[in-house]
Amino acid sequence: MPRAMNAAGAPSGGQPGDVLVRLRSSLPSLQPAEQRVAQVVIGDPAASAHLSITGLAEKAATSVATVARFARKAGFDGYPELRIALAGAAAREDMLGVGGRQPPAELDESASLADVVSSIVHHETRALQETAEHLDLDAMQAAVDAIGAARRIDIFGVGASGGVATDLRAKLHRIGRIAFSWKEVHAASTAAALLGEGDVAIGISHSGATLDTVEPLTVARNAGARTVAVTNFAGSPLAEAADIVLTTAARETTFRSGATASRTAQLAVVDILFVAVARLDLAGSTSALSKTHDALSARRLSSSRAGAADGRSGS
């Protein structure tokens, strides 16, 4: 079965910031020494752009040959081209800083509340921008077509990604699609084993290395279902278990300012999926949404009743 993937690690034209997105996406596929080089340049592209190949090798505690090999894996002919791309990426990052400066990459006890606000907003905004810039529309269309034709859709995700899986299931259900979401691996794997040709399984994981998501997606694929991965890393185990890979471009940080960004990027991707699937049968989707809205209308308080309830409760 052919795979539709985002070529996150391939050379491409486009924005100078592409190199940072490509490097973050390719981290799981790099060797440990190459990962150290990637972490150095991702952490400070401006400083890295000024380093000689020997200087970068020393900073990453590795060899010149490893840095040269890393540059080629990043999609460049050599280290000089990588330095130029890093300089461009650094300039772009500086331009997109909040309030005329970059927010702190990490939030510790010295961070002010203003730092927290600027960091969260910056990381979430960049996650949305970079995800949109790098989203493989051919892969997205393949996922939309598969979901549109599916007998049923099973969605796997745990932790924060589990909430995104639940959100997608609820959206698809409201337009009449038979969809289920699973957060517990035993239930997920047994559901996956019962899938087959004509079904779609979707795994959602930022790292793409969460066993409780990779395992049921693999079971679903072996059972004959069409599989879709939503992950930040195109070379991750989850991506390997998928026929179609949709990559986000979010940044994780130690104090989890990036954790909200990864969830925001995932929600954007599943919202795009949902709207695109709904448009396959716009009349039917609109009718289903209207019916589900009407079914819940009696559960909503009118403004006058809500005001009276607030008055009685003293809130």
Side-chain angles (χ1 to χ4, degrees), residues 195-308:
L195 299 178
E197 187 175 350
D199 299 323
V200 169
I202 303 172
I204 304 175
S205 168
H206 173 78
S207 68
T210 303
L211 182 60
D212 286 2
T213 303
V214 175
E215 184 177 286
L217 196 70
T218 302
V219 171
R221 191 182 193 189
N222 291 339
R226 188 84 160 140
T227 52
V228 180
V230 178
T231 180
N232 212 68
F233 302 101
S236 63
L238 187 70
E240 290 299 315
D243 301 305
I244 303 166
V245 181
L246 303 176
T247 52
T248 57
R251 314 177 190 199
E252 291 280 12
T253 65
T254 303
F255 280 91
R256 311 299 286 171
S257 64
T260 56
S262 64
R263 187 172 64 248
T264 297
Q266 290 173 348
L267 286 169
V269 169
V270 303
D271 278 351
I272 293 166
L273 265 178
F274 163 69
V275 172
V277 170
R279 289 175 66 251
L280 294 175
D281 179 11
L282 191 57
S285 296
T286 302
S287 175
L289 286 170
S290 179
K291 289 177 182 178
T292 55
H293 179 274
D294 291 345
L296 297 175
S297 60
R299 308 295 303 170
R300 296 184 178 89
L301 295 174
S302 66
S303 57
S304 59
R305 289 175 63 197

Side-chain angles (χ1 to χ4, degrees), residues 126-137 247 249 272:
R126 295 300 295 129
L128 288 172
Q129 290 173 330
E130 292 180 340
T131 295
E133 289 169 3
H134 294 268
L135 191 62
D136 187 330
L137 296 184
T247 52
I272 293 166

Side-chain angles (χ1 to χ4, degrees), residues 170-194:
K171 285 182 166 70
L172 291 173
H173 190 72
R174 288 201 62 183
I175 58 172
R177 304 285 172 173
I178 300 175
F180 305 88
S181 60
W182 308 95
K183 298 181 182 180
E184 193 275 322
V185 66
H186 294 95
S189 294
T190 53
L194 297 176

Side-chain angles (χ1 to χ4, degrees), residues 9 16 25 30 43 78 86 90 97 104 118-119 154 168 176 191 221 239 247 267 278 280 282 288 294 310:
S25 179
L30 299 176
L86 289 173
S118 64
S119 183
D154 285 65
L168 179 56
R221 191 182 193 189
T247 52
L267 286 169
L280 294 175
L282 191 57
D294 291 345
D310 287 344

Side-chain angles (χ1 to χ4, degrees), residues 43 92-108 111-126 251 253 257-258:
R92 186 172 186 236
E93 291 284 294
D94 186 62
M95 178 185 69
L96 293 169
V98 178
R101 66 181 180 87
Q102 284 288 332
E106 303 291 350
L107 298 173
D108 56 24
S112 67
L113 183 56
D115 286 333
V116 174
V117 171
S118 64
S119 183
I120 295 296
V121 171
H122 175 77
H123 284 292
E124 294 208 15
T125 299
R126 295 300 295 129
R251 314 177 190 199
T253 65
S257 64

Side-chain angles (χ1 to χ4, degrees), residues 47-78:
S48 299
H50 289 90
L51 292 173
S52 66
I53 189 169
T54 302
L56 181 56
E58 291 176 353
K59 195 170 183 64
T62 188
S63 67
V64 168
T66 297
V67 175
R69 184 171 62 250
F70 166 79
R72 290 192 296 272
K73 281 192 175 183
F76 298 94
D77 293 334

